[in-house]
């Protein structure tokens, strides 16, 4: 078995360790004896989505997102078709925003792929801090680091999780990210996957199911260190969750 991972515009979208997500995908496949090929796509490259099993779209600054926006226009239809055909995508922060209709900054409006029915609008106060989510998809909390000026309005989409500690999609400490078909879109950097092995395995399993059928062997890993890393963050904030929620309510 083999999965092909497409890393889109890694030279432009690579904030706060997003590249580490690729290493995590690769390692967790390797530990299970599954082959993995990572292809980096740069500006001007043609992408054949029929040969792709997982797409990673990382985070970037407003300036870099503007450049990527021009590239995305060229692959918009193929990318959308890939998602609608259950293609697996992990989109982080700037990448998450670009899956939506637009990202309006203080100076311009950056067109998105329109794959998700969401939009993002910039506000001067940046949302920067550790964040913890509770998600119906997982027993373990999802932990990470958020740093964004954009507020993402997700309409009727399903969020990735409820914010236990942190600010989330619109800075109000309610919900974070989006799950749509086999797409996980989130503001969580860190990188996200090494300390959230449950999220990594969820995406890998979806990609394997799509390619090889649902009865492929995908044994759980021990994850002693990964769980300890996740729990370290959770434990650090576990008794502060409600305090932060109260502070946010007061600020609104
Ligand atoms: N430029 C976007 C924002 O500030 C995304 C930043 C990021 O990817 N961290 O909202």
């Amino acid at each position: 078995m083999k999965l092909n991972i497409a890393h889109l515009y890694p030279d432009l979208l690579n904030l706060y360790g997003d590249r580490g997500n690729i290493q995590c995908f690769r390692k967790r496949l390797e530990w299970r004896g599954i082959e993995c090929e990572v292809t980096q796509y740069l500006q001007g490259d043609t992408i054949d989505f029929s040969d792709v099993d997982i797409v990673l779209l990382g985070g970037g600054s407003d300036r870099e997102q503007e450049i990527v926006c021009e590239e995305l226009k060229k692959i918009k239809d193929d990318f959308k078709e890939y998602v609608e055909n259950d293609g697996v995508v992990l989109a982080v922060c700037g990448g998450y925003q670009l899956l939506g209709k637009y990202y309006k900054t203080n100076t311009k409006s950056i067109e998105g792929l329109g794959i998700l029915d969401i939009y993002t609008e910039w506000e001067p106060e940046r949302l920067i801090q550790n964040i913890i989510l509770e998600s119906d998809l997982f027993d373990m909390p999802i932990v990470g680091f958020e740093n964004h000026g954009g507020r993402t309005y997700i309409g009727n989409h399903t969020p990735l999780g409820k914010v236990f500690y942190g600010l989330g999609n619109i800075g109000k400490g309610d919900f974070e990210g989006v799950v749509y078909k086999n797409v996980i879109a989130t503001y969580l950097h860190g990188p996200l996957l090494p300390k959230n092995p449950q999220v990594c395995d969820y995406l890998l399993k979806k990609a394997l199911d799509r390619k090889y059928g649902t009865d492929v062997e995908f044994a759980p890993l021990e994850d002693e260190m990964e769980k300890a890393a996740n729990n370290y963050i959770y434990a650090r904030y576990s008794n502060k969750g409600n305090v932060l929620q109260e502070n946010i309510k007061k600020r609104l």
Side-chain angles (χ1 to χ4, degrees), residues 158-195:
T158 307
L160 171 61
K162 198 172 160 347
V163 177
F164 171 75
Y165 178 86
L167 297 163
N169 281 337
I170 55 170
K172 295 193 177 171
D174 50 5
F175 296 102
E176 205 290 322
V178 163
V179 182
Y180 173 71
K181 290 186 158 258
N182 288 336
V183 176
I184 287 188
T186 176
Y187 271 114
L188 273 61
H189 292 282
L192 172 75
L193 299 180
K195 51 196 165 192

Side-chain angles (χ1 to χ4, degrees), residues 13 15-16 18 58-63 65 92-95 97 103 105 120 122 126 146-151 187 189:
L13 300 179
L15 277 183
Y16 318 118
D18 291 340
S61 67
D62 293 358
R63 190 189 65 82
Q65 278 175 279
V92 178
C93 202
Q97 296 172 343
Y103 169 35
T105 72
T120 301
W122 180 91
R126 283 195 82 75
E146 59 180 325
N147 184 349
H148 49 114
R151 273 61 171 170
Y187 271 114
H189 292 282

Side-chain angles (χ1 to χ4, degrees), residues 13 43 50 61 82 85 97 102 116 148 161 179 192 194 231 241:
L13 300 179
Q43 280 171 270
S50 67
S61 67
Y82 168 79
N85 285 330
Q97 296 172 343
Y102 65 84
L116 301 178
H148 49 114
V179 182
L192 172 75
N231 194 50

Side-chain angles (χ1 to χ4, degrees), residues 1-6 20-38 53-56 82 86-90 138 182-184 193-194 196-214 216-221 223:
M1 286 191 293
K2 179 181 172 189
L3 290 183
N4 294 324
I5 300 180
N21 292 319
I22 291 286
Q23 275 163 273
C24 190
F25 278 136
R26 197 198 281 279
K27 258 327 206 197
R28 297 184 71 80
L29 286 170
E30 194 185 290
W31 287 331
R32 292 172 165 112
I34 301 169
E35 253 187 273
C36 164
E37 188 175 324
V38 179
D53 303 308
I54 298 179
V55 169
L56 174 75
Y82 168 79
D86 300 321
V88 174
V89 179
L90 173 62
F138 311 109
N182 288 336
V183 176
I184 287 188
L193 299 180
N196 295 289
Q198 76 284 24
V199 181
C200 189
D201 281 1
Y202 173 89
L203 294 168
L204 291 175
K205 182 74 170 76
K206 290 284 184 195
L208 289 167
D209 287 354
R210 178 171 177 260
K211 191 166 190 179
Y212 296 105
T214 47
V216 295
E217 205 192 311
F218 192 70
L221 300 171
D223 289 332

Side-chain angles (χ1 to χ4, degrees), residues 8-9 49 57 68-69 71-80 83 89 95-102 110-116:
L8 266 51
Y9 320 116
F49 281 92
L57 203 55
V68 168
C69 154
E71 283 303 306
L72 291 179
K73 279 183 191 160
K74 301 178 203 160
I75 58 164
K76 194 171 174 168
D77 294 341
D78 289 351
F79 199 160
K80 192 171 169 55
V83 168
V89 179
Y96 168 25
Q97 296 172 343
L98 286 169
L99 288 185
K101 289 183 176 155
Y102 65 84
I110 300 173
E111 196 182 322
L113 286 157
I115 290 174
L116 301 178

